[in-house]
Structures are given as structure tokens and as C-alpha cells.
Amino acid sequence: VHDLVQHVKRKKKKGIYQEYEEIRKEPPAGTFDYSKKPSNQIKNRYSDVLCLDESRVRLCPLSEEEDETSDYINASYMDGYKNKNAYIATQGPLPKTFGDFWRMVWEQMVLIIVMTTRVMERGRVKCGQYWPLEEGQTEDYGYFVVRNMQIEMFQDFKLSHLELYNRQTGEKREVSHYLYMSWPDFGVPKSASAMLDFRAQVRQRQETALKTLYPDWTGPPGGPPVVVHCSAGIGRTGTFCTLDICLSRLEDIGTVDIKQTVRRMRTQRAFSIQTWDQYYFCYKAVIEYAQQRGLLQPVELSDTELETDSE
Ligand code: PTR
Ligand code: PTR
């Protein structure tokens, strides 16, 4: 982390901006053929936010007669720290993909959904209302019925305990739905510490949910993928996952590499992290975290030092 502070001090805001610009200029690491198929285009929220063929999540075919595109959803696997496919990064579901979304959650045995956008922002729909909003409410999504069992309110986020019922098999499962409410669109959270607390909660819940719901789990040690989405599934989603990866590495070996983390993430979910201040936020949040943990002296980085060379 001391190296990271030196890096940020040396580069100041402008240098970090250039670093982000370099990442942005790199061409995407593969093809988007599946996302572009005519029958799939209507399943993309944004025509310019597609998923790479190689890392896309495939839905299991429901029947043999289905055509070859019915396994498509705008969602990508992303690796975590030492954990393959730790996340599924996806767009905010569209009304016509609600059923597909819940199918994916079921098939991938997802325990946690992290939503970092609100349904409406500045008068525009950013994401469909794909889960029952009120406590006690039940909604029908084709093969799945979802019931909102209980809601817990926190300062910056809301946790809904959902029950997912599979009509075909008659099985039920629990899924935790986290809605982070104070992340403005086109921006970054006001304070890093709120985001850091949120991330800690999500981590903790994934761990306890895995132990209680799948005690005999034999898959990857981190458990099933955590579904993370915003509106397009690249900006805020990429920022959240970058932080989670960097902090896990920091906890483990005491170092971070934000640039490589983002570059690597972009090979799985193209265009991850959308604005330079989201990128810069990752630096600030990692440093704040290190200070919280006593890994850095609070005096090592003052904001004034960073601002001097900015804009
Ligand atoms: N994609 C937009 C552009 O290229 O101009 C920029 C943009 C960035 C739009 C972020 C929306 C963004 O985000 P959010 O939904 O996170 O505000
Ligand atoms: N076409 C949209 C735009 O350029 O505004 C794509 C877009 C939308 C990109 C939102 C990023 C967005 O942000 P996020 O991934 O954080 O929802």
C-alpha cells in the first residue's frame, strides 16, 4: 500500500486520469457475436453495451425445440481475487428478461444479488422492477415465483430477503438482494467508507449464506458467483468488483494493483469502469480502507496534496 500511495502522489489526479485513458484506448479482448444476433439484440438494455462471447453466461436450454439464441442473457462471468467466476456482472434486467434473470440466478445457485443503481434516476428508467419491492409481496416471473420475505433498512442500502420458488421442480431457495441507494448515476459514492462497509456486509453474507444454505458445497471455495448489476453492468458494477478484488488482495498479501485489475476485468466484461472518477475512486477507497485498518498512517495522503496538480 505504501507503493500505492507513492504512485498516487507521484501521478496526482492528472496522471491517474491518463492511466485510465490508456486503459480505455485498449480494444476489447474478443467478439460480441452472440450479443449482436438479431433475436438477442432486444435483450440488451443498451445497444452499445454487449457481452464478450467467451465470458458470457449461458442459460440452460429449457427444451430441445428451442432455438440457439434462447440461452442468451446480457451477463458476463468475472474472476475475483484467486476465485474464478466470483461474480456475474450483468445489466439491469429488462421486463422481457426478468424470467431469464431469475433462471440465471437459479441455475448458477446464486446467493447474493448486489444492485448499485436505483430503478429510476433523474427521471429515467435505469433498471426494471424485477423483484417484489414490498415486504410480503409475491411476484410471478414465468418459471419462478419470488416472494419478498423481509426487508432490512440500513443507512445507504436496503437488504431484501427473497424466496425463490421454482415452479418446475417445486424447490425453494433463499436469495439476499442488496440495493445500494446512494450511488448517483454519472458519479461515485460521496464517501468511500459507506461503500467499504457495504462491501464488507456483502462479503460476510456470502460467507454465512454459503455455510448455512449449502453446507456440503464442493464448488469453488468462494461459493457461487455474486450477481452484481447496475444499469448497463459496466460502470458502477466494474467499480464495485474492482474494489472487492483489490481489497481481498490487500487483506491477503498487502499489495494492490488497480490498473491490472481493471485491465483484466475488461477482458471479461468489456468497458468495465466508465468514467475516470470511478477509476480514481478505487484508489481513494483502497487508501481509505488501508488507513481504517491501520496499514497506513492517516497523514500519508492528504487530499490537498492530490488536488494541486488536478484538472
Ligand atoms: N456512457 C456514457 C457516454 O459514453 O457518454 C457515459 C455514461 C457514464 C453514461 C456513466 C452513464 C453512466 O452512468 P450511470 O448509469 O452509472 O450514471
Ligand atoms: N449507452 C449508454 C450510455 O452511453 O449512456 C450505456 C451506459 C449506460 C453505460 C449506463 C454505462 C452506464 O453505467 P452503469 O454501467 O454504471 O450502469
Side-chain angles (χ1 to χ4, degrees):
V1 238
H2 292 273
D3 291 349
L4 182 80
V5 172
Q6 288 315 315
H7 177 75
V8 174
K9 273 188 183 172
R10 218 171 30 241
K11 297 202 132 187
K12 305 223 171 95
K13 272 191 170 177
K14 207 165 140 206
I16 306 282
Y17 175 79
Q18 282 157 358
E19 189 177 291
Y20 176 64
E21 283 304 304
E22 279 166 34
I23 293 175
R24 239 163 102 109
K25 280 193 198 116
E26 290 173 22
T31 52
F32 301 95
D33 295 344
Y34 258 85
S35 286
K36 287 181 185 161
K37 282 183 195 285
S39 50
N40 287 337
Q41 277 171 14
I42 51 158
K43 301 177 193 166
N44 298 320
R45 175 171 289 278
Y46 299 102
S47 56
D48 57 347
V49 182
L50 307 176
C51 23
L52 291 160
D53 295 322
E54 185 148 323
S55 48
R56 78 184 179 96
V57 179
R58 289 158 197 255
L59 299 171
C60 302
L62 290 172
S63 68
E64 279 173 20
E65 306 93 74
E66 282 188 73
D67 66 283
E68 49 145 20
T69 57
S70 60
D71 70 352
Y72 178 77
I73 180 164
N74 188 315
S76 314
Y77 290 113
M78 280 184 352
D79 294 342
Y81 177 66
K82 288 192 173 172
N83 245 332
K84 214 175 143 40
N85 300 351
Y87 320 96
I88 288 174
T90 186
Q91 67 182 13
L94 292 162
K96 65 170 79 65
T97 67
F98 288 176
D100 294 341
F101 177 85
W102 288 114
R103 227 170 106 193
M104 174 176 80
V105 166
W106 186 274
E107 289 166 0
Q108 304 290 324
M109 305 181 85
V110 170
L111 298 163
I112 314 273
I113 298 167
V114 174
M115 169 167 176
T116 57
T117 180
R118 281 166 296 153
V119 164
M120 284 281 278
E121 279 171 348
R122 289 182 302 168
R124 288 170 69 184
V125 176
K126 290 286 185 144
C127 176
Q129 183 58 54
Y130 66 87
W131 79 103
L133 192 57
E134 309 291 340
E135 208 169 76
Q137 195 185 335
T138 302
E139 289 289 339
D140 199 314
Y141 304 105
Y143 291 106
F144 295 97
V145 180
V146 182
R147 181 172 171 77
N148 195 331
M149 311 287 285
Q150 195 205 343
I151 298 177
E152 288 180 67
M153 294 298 292
F154 297 83
Q155 169 114 43
D156 300 284
F157 59 90
K158 185 165 145 174
L159 166 60
S160 296
H161 300 272
L162 304 179
E163 182 191 74
L164 188 53
Y165 172 73
N166 183 332
R167 275 221 168 90
Q168 287 178 303
T169 65
E171 291 168 278
K172 280 180 182 169
R173 283 192 204 152
E174 281 172 50
V175 179
S176 302
H177 183 277
Y178 281 95
L179 170 57
Y180 193 80
M181 293 168 298
S182 35
W183 195 328
D185 59 343
F186 290 97
V188 295
K190 260 200 281 339
S191 93
S193 65
M195 193 68 212
L196 295 173
D197 292 347
F198 177 66
R199 177 256 173 189
Q201 260 255 7
V202 171
R203 275 268 132 255
Q204 180 72 50
R205 183 157 291 272
Q206 167 83 354
E207 215 174 282
T208 41
L210 182 63
K211 277 197 205 122
T212 47
L213 300 175
Y214 298 133
D216 305 321
W217 178 260
T218 53
V226 174
V227 166
V228 186
H229 80 82
C230 43
S231 183
I234 52 178
R236 291 165 285 187
T237 295
T239 309
F240 177 84
C241 296
T242 298
L243 266 182
D244 192 34
I245 292 170
C246 289
L247 299 181
S248 300
R249 172 165 151 168
L250 182 62
E251 285 159 0
D252 188 30
I253 57 170
T255 65
V256 266
D257 191 338
I258 291 173
K259 186 177 177 189
Q260 284 313 321
T261 303
V262 176
R263 290 187 61 207
R264 180 144 174 265
M265 184 174 290
R266 286 184 155 232
T267 65
Q268 295 185 301
R269 181 84 177 160
F271 317 116
S272 286
I273 301 205
Q274 271 286 289
T275 63
W276 97 267
D277 55 324
Q278 288 174 343
Y279 186 71
Y280 186 60
F281 176 76
C282 295
Y283 276 95
K284 288 205 296 194
V286 170
I287 290 167
E288 194 169 319
Y289 180 86
Q291 289 177 341
Q292 272 180 11
R293 295 276 170 127
L295 301 168
L296 274 179
Q297 296 304 313
V299 288
E300 277 196 76
L301 194 76
S302 67
D303 235 12
T304 41
E305 221 173 329
L306 289 174
E307 311 296 340
T308 45
D309 196 26
S310 69
E311 271 83 52

